[in-house]
Amino acid sequence: MTTPDRIYRSSAGIAGGVLLLAIAAWLGIDAIVAGHGRTPWLALATLILVVPLVVAFTLRPAVHANEERLRIRNPFRVIVVPWGEAAALRSGYSNEVVAKSGTKYQLWAVPVSLRARKRAARQEARSAADRSAEAGGRPRRGGFGGFGGMGALGGGGYPRGTAAPEGPARAEADKIMDDLRELMETKGEAESAQGEVTVRWAYEVAGPALAGALLLAILLAVG
């Protein structure tokens, strides 16, 4: 029995996509309704080109994972990697899965945030200092770097009287990659997790975008 998918998406990407679509709709519809001459046609062609691209790069990306396979929905492709064919999950400036064939597939829906990593590293350093202080019977640092400072919070931002988290602080994208690695390591040998890597191009996205680009090129050429 196939387990339900864990679905990972970028909330920042979705929010940005909705905002861009709202701006494009506002400007485009205004140009179509109030424009003169070739302006409505140019606005229509631009919308046909821009809307699919915005959807492809912001709303569309998602990562689906269950005990059998990893399904990656990127802007223009859908890649299915059975866990038995996954060789590694790597995190650098981007997150990617490496198939046993050596082919790499980027996980667009799990973007790397260097700022989040630095914030997690600072939080982990504060937590480690708190744990060390507690182990030595010393008070935790205060909220502003001193000892006993602004009463309610310790240096790591945790209420006094509570223990600092045991596990290391991790950025959200790194936590997701940890979950995926656990699935790969525990399910990679299962019979149900075997198969071939499949790649399908998203013609439903590329087609409208190409049509809009062609229409826009024709309008600009005959102008």
Side-chain angles (χ1 to χ4, degrees):
M1 180 179 178
T2 304
T3 58
D5 284 0
R6 306 179 190 180
I7 302 175
Y8 305 99
R9 305 184 72 180
S10 170
S11 56
I14 293 174
V18 170
L19 179 61
L20 288 174
L21 288 175
I23 293 173
W26 171 42
L27 296 176
I29 293 174
D30 180 69
I32 291 171
V33 173
H36 302 282
R38 293 189 311 136
T39 299
W41 290 104
L42 288 170
L44 178 61
T46 302
L47 282 177
I48 296 174
L49 169 63
V50 169
V51 169
L53 293 179
V54 171
V55 171
F57 285 95
T58 60
L59 305 183
R60 176 181 168 81
V63 171
H64 297 247
N66 60 27
E67 295 183 353
E68 297 180 357
R69 52 92 181 114
L70 181 68
R71 182 173 179 267
I72 307 163
R73 194 170 68 193
N74 281 347
F76 299 109
R77 295 191 299 176
V78 176
I79 305 108
V80 177
V81 183
W83 289 122
E85 285 297 312
L89 283 156
R90 295 178 180 171
S91 296
Y93 291 105
S94 64
N95 290 314
E96 58 189 20
V97 59
V98 183
K100 289 184 176 178
S101 63
T103 307
K104 301 175 184 178
Y105 303 102
Q106 186 174 349
L107 278 60
W108 277 80
V110 189
V112 170
S113 172
L114 297 181
R115 179 179 298 179
R117 282 182 176 173
K118 291 178 181 178
R119 184 167 58 245
R122 290 194 298 268
Q123 181 179 337
E124 174 59 19
R126 290 193 295 266
S127 298
D130 284 344
R131 290 193 292 267
S132 177
E134 290 175 347
R138 302 186 305 275
R140 285 191 211 171
R141 293 191 311 161
F144 289 90
F147 284 89
M150 297 290 291
L153 296 177
Y158 308 110
R160 293 187 182 279
T162 62
E166 293 297 329
R170 301 277 281 165
E172 187 61 31
D174 293 333
K175 292 179 183 178
I176 292 173
M177 293 299 288
D178 289 343
D179 291 342
L180 297 179
R181 287 191 189 96
E182 182 180 0
L183 277 174
M184 181 186 70
E185 292 168 0
T186 57
K187 305 300 179 181
E189 300 299 326
E191 183 178 351
S192 60
Q194 308 307 310
E196 295 183 356
V197 176
T198 62
V199 179
R200 180 182 69 83
W201 288 93
Y203 296 108
E204 67 275 15
V205 174
L210 288 174
L214 180 60
L215 178 58
L216 186 60
I218 292 173
L219 290 172
L220 293 175
V222 300

